[in-house]
Amino acid sequence: MLVDHDIHIHTTLSSCCADEQATPENIIARAAEEGLKTIGFADHMWDSRMPGASDWYMPQDLEHILKIRDMIPKDTKGVKVLVGCETEYCGNGKVGISREAAEQLDFVLIPASHVHMKGFVLPSWAETPKDIARVMLQHFNEVVGLGLATGITHPFLPVNHGDHVDEIISYILDSEFEEAFHRAAEARVSIEITTGCFPGISGRVREGFHDETFMRVLTIAKNCGCKFHFASDAHSLAGIGRVLQLEKYVKEIGITPDDILQL
């Protein structure tokens, strides 16, 4: 089995997690039941050392998310447990984590596609699907160059634009993807493969979003020599184990154990 981990899991420490059952203890128990070997907690975080936090991010600082270490039970039922974060990138070098904070974590995930945050991440001038594509590509390349990210979370998946994903991604040329993924491979920044990239997993039929779109993107990343990690981006206990449904896609892309990030 290629997919044996999930390092993008949110707990009740993330303000957007509304499931009171999404505690570390419950998540670890569910992960063990599902057969996952490694999980990573990646609650949202903006380091208080870094200026420019939004009102939503401000309470979710490093000290807040590190509370999780006291919440992890001694018996992890054979599951390796990592403590990381999902921080934020706003463009023009503005990022929500310092190098000092990154060194206190097992991994750091940085998104380049939180384009639902208009004015904070998505510039005010960006209105069209083509604009969104250009912003995501620029942010991806800038995140790779920061030297802070273990991996880029849900790359090129435009959050809250699910009905227009195919169109948005169509504005990025294969050559542009190749250049971006070659940079990521050289910088040893892992590319996340998340269940959100494939509407076929949920069975939802969307006129503007098909599995083929990210099969194209991730195949290019594979051919560029990128490393990959797997993720559910779960915000509820029910989401634990969903990552296993990526197996058929991963095999079709041609990913082997050598392509997977060592955790």
Side-chain angles (χ1 to χ4, degrees):
M1 186 170 72
L2 290 169
V3 181
D4 63 1
H5 69 261
D6 181 352
I7 64 163
H8 188 169
I9 296 173
H10 295 274
T11 74
T12 52
L13 291 175
S14 287
S15 295
C16 50
C17 175
D19 183 4
E20 295 180 354
Q21 296 301 308
T23 63
E25 184 174 10
N26 289 341
I27 289 169
I28 291 167
R30 179 68 62 86
E33 290 172 1
E34 295 288 343
L36 290 171
K37 293 181 180 179
T38 302
I39 64 169
F41 293 121
D43 285 303
H44 293 288
M45 190 276 291
W46 189 285
D47 183 2
S48 59
R49 297 177 182 89
M50 306 301 287
S54 66
D55 290 342
W56 184 80
Y57 262 116
M58 198 168 294
Q60 300 176 97
D61 60 10
L62 179 65
E63 290 70 25
H64 175 74
I65 68 162
L66 286 183
K67 293 176 185 176
I68 202 166
R69 288 184 172 152
D70 293 327
M71 301 165 68
I72 297 171
K74 290 183 179 180
D75 180 9
T76 61
K77 304 182 183 301
V79 178
K80 183 178 180 179
V81 178
L82 305 176
V83 175
C85 76
E86 180 182 17
T87 187
E88 194 59 75
Y89 185 70
C90 302
N92 297 316
K94 181 179 176 180
V95 66
I97 191 167
S98 65
R99 199 163 301 280
E100 292 81 5
E103 290 173 353
Q104 296 184 55
L105 298 166
D106 295 320
F107 63 92
V108 173
L109 300 181
I110 304 181
S113 57
H114 274 169
V115 292
H116 61 304
M117 296 180 173
K118 189 70 179 283
F120 185 60
V121 172
L122 186 68
S124 57
W125 57 262
E127 296 288 347
T128 68
K130 186 174 183 179
D131 292 339
I132 292 171
R134 304 329 295 173
V135 169
M136 289 197 300
L137 182 61
Q138 180 176 339
H139 283 194
F140 181 98
N141 287 323
E142 290 175 357
V143 168
V144 167
L146 291 173
L148 290 167
T150 306
I152 298 185
T153 184
H154 44 67
F156 301 105
L157 181 62
V159 178
N160 282 10
H161 291 270
D163 292 329
H164 305 284
V165 173
D166 296 344
E167 180 184 4
I168 291 169
I169 298 303
S170 74
Y171 288 111
I172 304 177
L173 302 175
D174 283 5
S175 59
E176 292 175 313
F177 276 127
E178 288 167 359
E179 182 179 356
F181 286 131
H182 276 304
R183 287 179 179 176
E186 290 172 3
R188 299 183 180 179
V189 176
S190 179
I191 302 303
E192 183 171 282
I193 303 180
T194 179
T195 55
C197 289
F198 300 106
I201 286 178
S202 65
R204 292 187 65 184
V205 177
R206 277 179 159 163
E207 187 175 338
F209 186 10
H210 297 84
D211 288 348
E212 290 76 13
T213 290
F214 274 94
M215 291 299 293
R216 169 201 167 212
V217 174
L218 294 169
T219 298
I220 294 173
K222 153 71 177 173
N223 292 339
C224 290
C226 288
K227 296 292 186 182
F228 300 92
H229 65 272
F230 307 121
S232 64
D233 197 2
H235 285 67
S236 69
L237 185 60
I240 306 305
R242 188 184 304 148
V243 71
L244 299 173
Q245 296 179 62
L246 288 171
E247 186 80 12
K248 67 174 184 178
Y249 298 98
V250 167
K251 288 181 176 178
E252 187 173 342
I253 293 166
I255 290 172
T256 70
D258 289 339
D259 301 316
I260 299 171
L261 178 69
Q262 296 300 304
L263 301 167

